[in-house]
């Protein structure tokens, strides 16, 4: 079973961006394998922190699904929070049979490299078409590629302690930098916001554990990445940043909502206005879409954003559809695991710290991604949060026990 969980974790990550729905192979295998627990019943020795992690996943599912039933939303809406529920048996399986760390780190790096390689073949400078690798959306590809990059860089601390430390260090460093590169060529600006925040977390962590020389080296690398992103010919970062400034200026000057930034601001403004009258339980998906139809007919909202089914912001979307309770459930899904990983980062032995650091990065990235898009309304968005979360928690827990 240990071999099966390791292979499944590797495939989940390595195929995620380079094969259509590639993440489904490993995720489905883990879910099916979790039924083995019904017969084998291994001793799990669950701790308080394990129950908190399980509780965050379960509460998110219960609140969102109950709200959907209350509002009479379509059954397909249950599909996304169901992923959080399905991550629970997977977590129990991985606690009983933790995957090998090598499967996690190699899968991450190869997944980032394979996705960026495919995206690079789709990249045409100054073209309106944006690379999306094997995913259905350039935004979500760019976000997950950035996520894989940040998580791969967390593995450097692990890599330098391995027998083949040079090979492992090269692999995870390549995965980190190429993951960032994939996000850059995707033109997904929301994902780029995670880079400076994650950079600060790296700096603080390594300054605390490794000393100032590590901090200086890391700052130099991050600055070099930032400068290169802007300086290369036909830089997507420079082009997209200029577009964002121009879009914002148009919105401020003439309320222009025909641009990417203008559409988001219009969606946020509309959703926040609608949420005022349904603050506790929200409006549900159907109620939200019907209210948008009415506002559009009355000329109070631009028709350009009429057909969007979400608010392009995880927090605002949860608020308008699920109310305060839904927003709190979302924050709990982000903040409780973040707190658990952060505590482990500060208190655990050196062998466990790379996994705790990766857990902090995972939660941080998703909290930032959710500011400019609705990450959790697509399959790849919710799966790439909850499954890496439970994989990392099982690896962290195993390393703590071994220490």
């Amino acid at each position: 079973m240990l071999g099966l969980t390791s292979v499944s974790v590797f495939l989940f990550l390595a195929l995620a961006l380079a094969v259509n729905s590639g993440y489904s192979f490993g995720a489905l295998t883990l879910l099916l394998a979790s039924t083995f627990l019904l017969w084998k019943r291994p001793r799990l020795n669950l701790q308080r922190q394990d129950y908190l992690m399980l509780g965050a996943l379960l509460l998110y599912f219960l609140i969102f699904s109950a709200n959907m039933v209350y509002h009479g939303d379509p059954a397909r809406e249950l599909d996304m929070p169901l992923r959080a529920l399905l991550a629970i048996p997977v977590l129990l399986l991985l606690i009983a049979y933790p995957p090998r760390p090598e499967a996690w780190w190699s899968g991450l790096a190869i997944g980032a490299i394979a996705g960026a390689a495919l995206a690079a073949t789709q990249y045409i400078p100054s073209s309106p078409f944006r690379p999306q690798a094997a995913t259905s959306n350039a935004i979500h590809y760019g976000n997950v590629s950035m996520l894989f990059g940040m998580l791969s860089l967390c593995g450097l601390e692990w890599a330098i302690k391995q027998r083949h430390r040079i090979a492992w260090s090269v692999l995870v460093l390549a995965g980190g930098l190429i993951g960032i590169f994939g996000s850059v060529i995707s033109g997904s600006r929301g994902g780029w916001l995670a880079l400076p925040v994650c950079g600060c977390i790296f700096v603080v962590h390594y300054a605390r554990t490794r000393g100032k020389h590590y901090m200086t080296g890391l700052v130099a690398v991050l600055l070099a990445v930032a400068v290169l992103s802007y300086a290369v010919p036909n830089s997507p970062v420079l082009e997209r940043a200029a577009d964002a400034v121009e879009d914002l200026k148009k919105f401020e000057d003439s309320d222009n909502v025909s641009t990417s930034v203008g559409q988001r601001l219009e969606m946020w403004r509309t959703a926040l206005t609608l949420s005022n009258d349904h603050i506790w339980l929200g409006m549900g998906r159907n109620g939200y879409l019907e209210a948008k139809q009415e506002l559009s007919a009355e000329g109070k909202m631009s028709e350009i954003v009429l057909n969007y089914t979400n608010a392009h912001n995880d927090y605002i979307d949860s608020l308008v559809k699920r109310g305060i309770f839904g927003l709190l459930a979302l924050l709990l899904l982000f903040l409780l695991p973040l707190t658990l990983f952060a505590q482990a980062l500060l208190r655990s032995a050196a062998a466990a710290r790379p996994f705790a650091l990766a857990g902090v990065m995972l939660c941080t990235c998703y909290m930032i991604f959710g500011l400019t898009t609705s990450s959790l309304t697509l399959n790849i968005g919710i799966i790439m949060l909850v499954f890496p979360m439970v994989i990392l928690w099982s690896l962290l827990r195993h390393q703590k026990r071994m220490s």
Side-chain angles (χ1 to χ4, degrees), residues 6 10 50 68 88 113 196 210 232 235 344 377 396 399:
S6 296
F10 173 81
D50 301 322
M68 290 170 187
I88 291 177
I113 294 168
R210 294 284 179 174
V232 295
S235 168
T377 59
L396 171 62
Q399 291 298 322

Side-chain angles (χ1 to χ4, degrees), residues 44-188:
L44 298 176
N45 296 319
L46 295 179
Q47 313 274 320
R48 175 176 172 271
Q49 290 90 343
D50 301 322
Y51 286 113
L52 290 174
M53 183 68 73
L54 292 166
L57 294 167
L58 181 60
L59 196 60
Y60 177 79
F61 167 76
L62 290 175
I63 290 178
F64 269 64
S65 57
N67 188 280
M68 290 170 187
V69 172
Y70 173 77
H71 288 296
D73 284 342
R76 65 178 179 275
E77 285 290 292
L78 187 63
D79 198 35
M80 295 304 110
L82 183 62
R83 300 298 192 275
L85 180 67
L86 296 179
I88 291 177
V90 172
L91 175 56
L92 297 176
L93 171 73
L94 295 177
I95 287 176
Y97 305 102
R100 293 179 60 85
E102 292 88 344
W104 166 261
W105 297 118
S106 62
L108 261 181
I110 291 172
I113 294 168
L118 180 56
T121 66
Q122 303 167 345
Y123 177 61
I124 303 173
S126 302
S127 169
F129 175 80
R130 290 160 53 194
Q132 58 191 42
T135 70
S136 61
N137 187 296
I139 295 175
H140 295 286
Y141 163 65
N143 287 349
V144 175
S145 187
M146 178 64 75
L147 174 67
F148 276 26
M150 293 297 100
L151 294 180
S152 291
L153 292 176
C154 295
L156 279 170
E157 195 172 3
W158 172 86
I160 60 176
K161 297 177 182 177
Q162 304 310 301
R163 180 181 177 185
H164 303 290
R165 58 181 179 274
I166 295 177
W168 277 112
S169 297
V170 169
L171 179 63
V172 296
L173 182 60
L177 296 179
I178 294 174
I180 297 171
F181 168 77
S183 180
V184 167
I185 63 173
S186 76
S188 301

